[in-house]
Amino acid sequence: MIFAPTELTPAEERLRHEVREFLAAELPPDFRPGLGLGGRHDPEFSRRLAARGWVGMAIPTRYGGGGATPVERFVVVEELLAAGAPILAHWVAERQTAPTLLAFGTQEQREWFLPRIAAGECWFSLGMSEPDAGSDLASVRTAATKVDGGWLVNGTKIWTSAAHLNHFFVVLCRTSPAEDRHQGLSQLIVDLHAPGLKVSPIHYLDGGHHFNEVVFDDVFVPDDRVLGEVGAGWHQVTSELAYERSGPDRYLSVFGLLKAFVAEFGDSFDDVRRAAVGRASAKLWTIRQLSLAVARSLERGAAPAVEAALVKDIGTLYEQEVVEVLRHVAGQEIDPGGAGMFERLLAEAVQTAPAFTLRGGTTEVLRSIAAKGLTGARR
Ligand SMILES: Cc1cc2nc3c(=O)[nH]c(=O)nc-3n(C[C@H](O)[C@H](O)[C@H](O)COP(=O)(O)OP(=O)(O)OC[C@H]3O[C@@H](n4cnc5c(N)ncnc54)[C@H](O)[C@@H]3O)c2cc1C
């Protein structure tokens, strides 16, 4: 396991300041930062960000991307998340789908999807979880049957974030029965508006609409929308999950809350509040260094899956801890409709923070991955 300490270069620091200037101009002073789910879904913001070259940064220039390094992308994403910017529209496509297409997609798929993703015009959801398959993803039952020119898909996906707003999702499904559950799975790129596909909301605790159930009733997917190799879905989906872990989204979900706390109470800090903010900031800095080390090692061409799992584990537990500590030291009742930004963000955080350690793989599952990796028991 390698977490080699690394510093940002002067050029990387300059990039950070450019992003800060852009955000200062784009976001009004009373902007309410997004917490935890990658900010709000705002197509116009995504397009403006793309026009600056900050969507699809790490996509090669021949596909319309910025050809940037993982660390340059890290710097930009860190600023966007620290500001709670509304990046949900392009978030999954940029973070996860683009590198998966680069690794496994056909040339035709890359040429069609990647420039659209880099332009902030093509948005993806994730079609992995099912009613009986979350952590145990290999037990997915959504099935694709071969027909002339493509596949007919039947089954149900669940917890599909933003499926009601996005254009496509990559669906993990069973394309053949297999004795080994990890065989016979494939990934299909499915149009979220395809005939036979029904997207229904699953409302969040606070009434918000983020999740969906997606039901497939004989949905036709043409052969040219198979992502990668038929039957190689397990290998592909587990590689893809590495992009979902270790990034700044795993420790900055509540940064806006911390900032609002300091802004509103900073002048009247007692020792308890000062110590709480000091501890939270010191821990944040340490986790950030671990996450940055992962980005730097990706830049060198490594595949730090164990390190990524550990950063997600530590980072998301930290996020939940910040919510609890601030709730405690604030010492006030929480009113979701309260006057202050801190109060409103705290109410939102209290309701959404339990999910921080679930999305992208639960804490227990990540520890299992890390343990297997460290003891050499990983397949
Ligand atoms: C905010 C959010 C957004 C999400 N967005 C998406 C999305 O867009 N697309 C998508 O496909 N999914 C999405 N998910 C689903 C997410 O990936 C699953 O919730 C997650 O994988 C856990 O699966 P589960 O809910 O079925 O829990 P289960 O797998 O049923 O787990 C329940 C409990 O059992 C524990 N457990 C399970 N297996 C083991 C094991 N082998 N060893 C030890 N403990 C174990 C778990 O850690 C957990 O505590 C999202 C979830 C959240 C919270």
Side-chain angles (χ1 to χ4, degrees):
M1 188 173 47
I2 302 165
F3 281 111
T6 183
E7 296 283 328
L8 293 179
T9 63
E12 288 162 350
E13 286 294 357
R14 274 197 300 280
L15 175 62
R16 174 184 304 291
H17 288 288
E18 279 176 43
V19 184
R20 278 191 189 171
E21 280 166 27
F22 170 83
L23 289 171
E26 283 287 328
L27 305 178
D30 60 346
F31 173 73
R32 188 177 195 273
L35 291 183
L37 296 171
R40 315 235 181 290
H41 199 285
D42 181 341
E44 274 314 309
F45 182 84
S46 290
R47 287 184 192 115
R48 287 199 294 276
L49 198 64
R52 289 294 304 259
W54 293 331
V55 178
M57 279 181 80
I59 294 175
T61 48
R62 68 181 179 283
Y63 299 120
T69 66
V71 174
E72 285 164 338
R73 182 177 173 273
F74 175 99
V75 167
V76 172
V77 168
E78 193 174 49
E79 284 308 312
L80 293 170
L81 289 164
I87 55 176
L88 190 58
H90 67 268
W91 182 238
V92 166
E94 204 268 350
R95 176 188 68 185
Q96 207 154 328
T97 316
T100 304
L101 283 165
L102 280 166
F104 304 111
T106 62
Q107 192 55 25
E108 202 185 355
Q109 287 166 354
R110 289 179 192 159
E111 282 170 13
W112 199 87
F113 285 106
L114 293 175
R116 287 171 171 81
I117 291 175
E121 299 282 357
C122 182
W123 317 321
F124 272 79
S125 293
L126 300 171
M128 297 181 196
S129 305
E130 296 188 3
D132 295 313
S135 301
D136 187 15
L137 198 54
S139 62
V140 296
R141 287 205 294 246
T142 293
T145 315
K146 189 74 190 90
V147 292
D148 221 12
W151 300 79
L152 269 193
V153 187
N154 284 283
T156 301
K157 291 289 170 183
I158 203 166
W159 313 128
T160 320
S161 303
H164 58 305
L165 300 168
N166 289 342
H167 303 116
F168 296 96
F169 69 156
V170 175
V171 172
L172 181 69
C173 58
R174 189 151 287 289
T175 38
S176 65
E179 267 177 36
D180 178 344
R181 297 179 321 130
H182 299 101
Q183 307 293 319
L185 294 167
S186 305
Q187 286 188 301
L188 304 180
I189 303 171
V190 180
D191 187 333
L192 278 161
H193 299 96
L197 193 142
K198 189 167 176 234
V199 179
S200 314
I202 304 172
H203 290 291
Y204 219 56
L205 202 59
D206 60 6
H209 181 188
H210 169 80
F211 290 130
N212 299 277
E213 176 194 67
V214 184
V215 178
F216 299 77
D217 182 9
D218 274 348
V219 174
F220 177 74
V221 180
D223 280 326
D224 61 8
R225 288 281 163 88
V226 172
L227 176 51
E229 227 178 284
V230 173
W234 182 254
H235 164 66
Q236 292 176 199
V237 85
T238 46
S239 329
E240 178 186 331
L241 279 166
Y243 299 111
E244 211 185 324
R245 298 168 179 159
S246 94
D249 43 325
R250 301 309 177 189
Y251 58 88
L252 283 174
S253 300
V254 292
F255 189 71
L257 179 74
L258 189 58
K259 244 168 59 177
F261 181 73
V262 175
E264 279 172 41
F265 295 95
D267 290 341
S268 58
F269 265 0
D270 56 17
D271 285 351
V272 174
R273 287 176 176 172
R274 194 171 291 116
V277 170
R279 266 198 297 274
S281 307
K283 228 172 181 176
L284 173 71
W285 194 253
T286 312
I287 297 168
R288 175 191 183 260
Q289 290 305 112
L290 297 177
S291 177
L292 180 58
V294 173
R296 193 68 87 192
S297 81
L298 283 169
E299 189 177 274
R300 294 191 199 104
V306 171
E307 289 86 343
L310 286 171
V311 172
K312 182 185 181 287
D313 176 15
I314 301 167
T316 54
L317 286 172
Y318 162 78
E319 291 176 332
Q320 289 177 337
E321 185 188 316
V322 168
V323 177
E324 277 315 302
V325 167
L326 294 186
R327 180 186 190 173
H328 182 68
V329 298
Q332 63 187 62
E333 289 298 319
I334 307 167
D335 177 4
M341 180 75 81
F342 172 71
E343 203 176 353
R344 281 180 279 141
L345 290 178
L346 181 61
E348 185 181 331
V350 166
Q351 292 184 82
T352 55
F356 293 170
T357 49
L358 303 181
R359 60 199 166 119
T362 63
T363 299
E364 292 80 359
V365 166
L366 291 165
R367 287 182 186 175
S368 168
I369 291 170
K372 285 178 190 163
L374 292 171
T375 57
R378 197 144 184 257
R379 277 196 284 180

